[in-house]
Amino acid sequence: MELEESWQEAVATLGGRLAYRFARPELPARALIHSSWAAERGKAEENNERLEFLGDAVVDLAVAALLYEYDPAMREGDLSRRRAALVNESHLALLAGEIGLGPLLRLGRGEEQSGGRAKPSILAAAFEAVIGAVYLDGGYPAAHALLGRLFAPWVAAPPPLGQSDSKSALQELLQERYGAAPEYLLESEEGPPHARRFAVAVIFRGRVLGRGEAGRKKEAERRAAAEALAGLEKKDGPALARGDLLW
């Protein structure tokens, strides 16, 4: 596929920053297209969301493998917490900034005017889309090698844990106390492709523990888990401490 000159320059710049040469330049070109840009041109489906979906899974697997290889003595719960801290939206946005992804993105006018190039949700999604492009272009070994370079400093010294780790913390708590994991239910998905809003509920044994809304489904799940943790600590702290049933 022959790309226009401006796209060729963007792909070349991205490849240089990643130290990776794309054999299929149409893949990184697609990874740079935000849904707002595609929608304005009447090509709503020609955006980076499918690559983001793929890249999300590749990042999770690669980071899990990197942590597993880094410390053979690390227990499962610690591995989960460390991975959650490394793959959360804010940290992926930071990595996107480190490779200068923001200026290369194709954004619609509205997103451009509202500072979309600095929005963590857009940057994190684009980062995952780029990883998805590398995976399709060079296979998992190429993606793993790239992520190994990008995550190496953080595997040894992870970012601080916080709300971003709420899903892992909630699952660990409920598994430990009650031997079961929570479920996440997508309650609604609204808005145009370039401004989607997801509403998610976290449910345990038929009870809604928390709800969250965000521009990305994963972030909505994390917010729901954070609300659930806050509610359990406030209302059921003594019960949790004793290991009693919540209901």
Side-chain angles (χ1 to χ4, degrees), residues 35-67:
S35 56
S36 60
W37 190 91
E40 284 185 1
R41 286 153 181 79
K43 301 177 180 180
E45 300 304 317
E46 296 184 10
N47 58 57
N48 64 6
E49 291 178 351
R50 282 173 55 84
L51 285 173
E52 174 198 351
F53 168 80
L54 180 60
D56 175 44
V58 175
V59 170
D60 277 353
L61 174 58
V63 171
L66 290 168
L67 289 169

Side-chain angles (χ1 to χ4, degrees), residues 7 57 140 144 149 151 166 171 179 199-200 224:
W7 284 106
Y140 179 73
H144 182 89
R149 295 197 303 272
F151 278 93
S166 56
Q171 178 162 330
V200 172

Side-chain angles (χ1 to χ4, degrees), residues 18-193:
L18 298 177
Y20 179 82
R21 183 177 179 84
F22 287 95
R24 300 168 59 190
E26 69 274 14
L27 291 172
R30 174 65 66 88
L32 298 175
I33 299 177
H34 186 255
S35 56
S36 60
W37 190 91
E40 284 185 1
R41 286 153 181 79
K43 301 177 180 180
E45 300 304 317
E46 296 184 10
N47 58 57
N48 64 6
E49 291 178 351
R50 282 173 55 84
L51 285 173
E52 174 198 351
F53 168 80
L54 180 60
D56 175 44
V58 175
V59 170
D60 277 353
L61 174 58
V63 171
L66 290 168
L67 289 169
Y68 185 89
E69 295 160 0
Y70 175 73
D71 187 351
M74 194 180 301
R75 301 179 64 178
E76 187 273 340
D78 293 328
L79 287 168
S80 295
R81 284 190 292 272
R82 290 279 291 273
R83 180 179 62 177
L86 289 170
V87 304
N88 74 75
E89 182 179 280
S90 61
H91 190 242
L92 294 185
L94 183 151
L95 293 177
E98 288 185 349
I99 61 175
L101 200 52
L104 301 178
L105 298 178
R106 269 29 179 196
L107 302 179
R109 290 186 295 273
E111 283 295 349
E112 189 74 67
Q113 294 171 359
S114 64
R117 296 186 187 281
K119 289 182 179 178
S121 60
I122 291 178
L123 289 171
F127 180 87
E128 290 175 334
V130 167
I131 299 304
V134 172
Y135 171 80
L136 290 178
D137 188 79
Y140 179 73
H144 182 89
L146 171 60
L147 289 168
R149 295 197 303 272
L150 294 175
F151 278 93
W154 302 101
V155 168
L161 298 173
Q163 177 171 312
S164 61
D165 193 42
S166 56
K167 285 185 65 178
S168 294
L170 180 63
Q171 178 162 330
E172 183 177 345
L173 174 63
L174 295 177
Q175 285 278 14
E176 179 182 352
R177 299 299 187 188
Y178 311 109
E183 299 179 355
Y184 292 87
L185 173 66
L186 178 62
E187 294 187 312
S188 67
E189 180 179 346
E190 302 176 344

